[in-house]
């Protein structure tokens, strides 16, 4: 089994900052890409930021310059530092981990339950 657990959401005022964390644990051989996705009410899920095991990153245009994704490969953990938050960043943020459970097995996506981020005055 593989578990993906997020933490760090909450309520913050516009212009404020939050840091999200996500850890993958369990029967893991390697974790390839890890990423953050979000879904606001009435909207489709969108990719926020993704980072590969080599440290290559990709960001949504709407968060470039404000959000930073990083990871600790030894801990299978990914972080999302969110600065200059805007009301439109309000959403449920979910973590995704692309996991290989054995050396000979294929990759599979695992998702966390999600954490609410609300940006409001």
């Amino acid at each position: 089994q593989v578990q993906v657990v997020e933490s760090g959401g909450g309520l913050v005022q516009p212009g404020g900052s939050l840091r999200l964390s996500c850890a993958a644990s369990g029967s893991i051989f390697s974790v390839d890409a890890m990423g953050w996705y979000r879904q606001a009410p009435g909207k489709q899920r969108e990719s926020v930021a993704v980072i590969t095991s080599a440290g290559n990153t990709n960001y949504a245009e709407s968060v470039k310059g404000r959000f930073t994704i990083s990871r600790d490969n030894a801990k299978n953990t990914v972080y999302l530092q969110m600065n200059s938050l805007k009301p439109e960043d309000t959403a449920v943020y979910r973590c995704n981990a692309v996991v290989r459970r054995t050396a000979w097995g294929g990759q599979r996506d695992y998702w966390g339950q999600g954490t609410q981020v609300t940006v409001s005055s």
Side-chain angles (χ1 to χ4, degrees):
Q1 295 288 351
V2 175
Q3 297 80 41
V4 176
V5 179
E6 305 105 334
S7 62
L11 173 64
V12 64
Q13 292 186 341
S17 297
L18 280 176
R19 188 188 194 214
L20 305 183
S21 300
C22 167
S25 61
S27 179
I28 295 173
F29 174 76
S30 66
V31 180
D32 299 325
M34 298 186 79
W36 290 95
Y37 296 75
R38 68 186 181 187
Q39 187 166 20
K43 294 188 177 181
Q44 289 189 331
R45 185 177 66 195
E46 64 171 341
S47 172
V48 177
V50 177
I51 185 168
T52 68
S53 57
N56 298 312
T57 59
N58 190 56
Y59 294 93
E61 285 296 325
S62 60
V63 307
K64 281 184 179 178
R66 300 188 297 122
F67 291 11
T68 302
I69 190 169
S70 60
R71 66 186 282 174
D72 183 334
N73 288 335
K75 296 180 180 179
N76 291 330
T77 299
V78 64
Y79 306 96
L80 186 68
Q81 178 66 43
M82 304 185 292
N83 299 327
S84 302
L85 282 160
K86 304 175 181 180
E88 51 263 44
D89 294 317
T90 295
V92 174
Y93 285 69
R94 293 185 72 189
C95 177
N96 170 265
V98 181
V99 175
R100 194 182 302 271
R101 295 185 63 186
T102 62
W104 56 89
Q107 297 175 330
R108 178 183 166 182
D109 283 329
Y110 290 87
W111 292 88
Q113 296 277 43
T115 184
Q116 177 70 44
V117 172
T118 301
V119 185
S120 174
S121 54

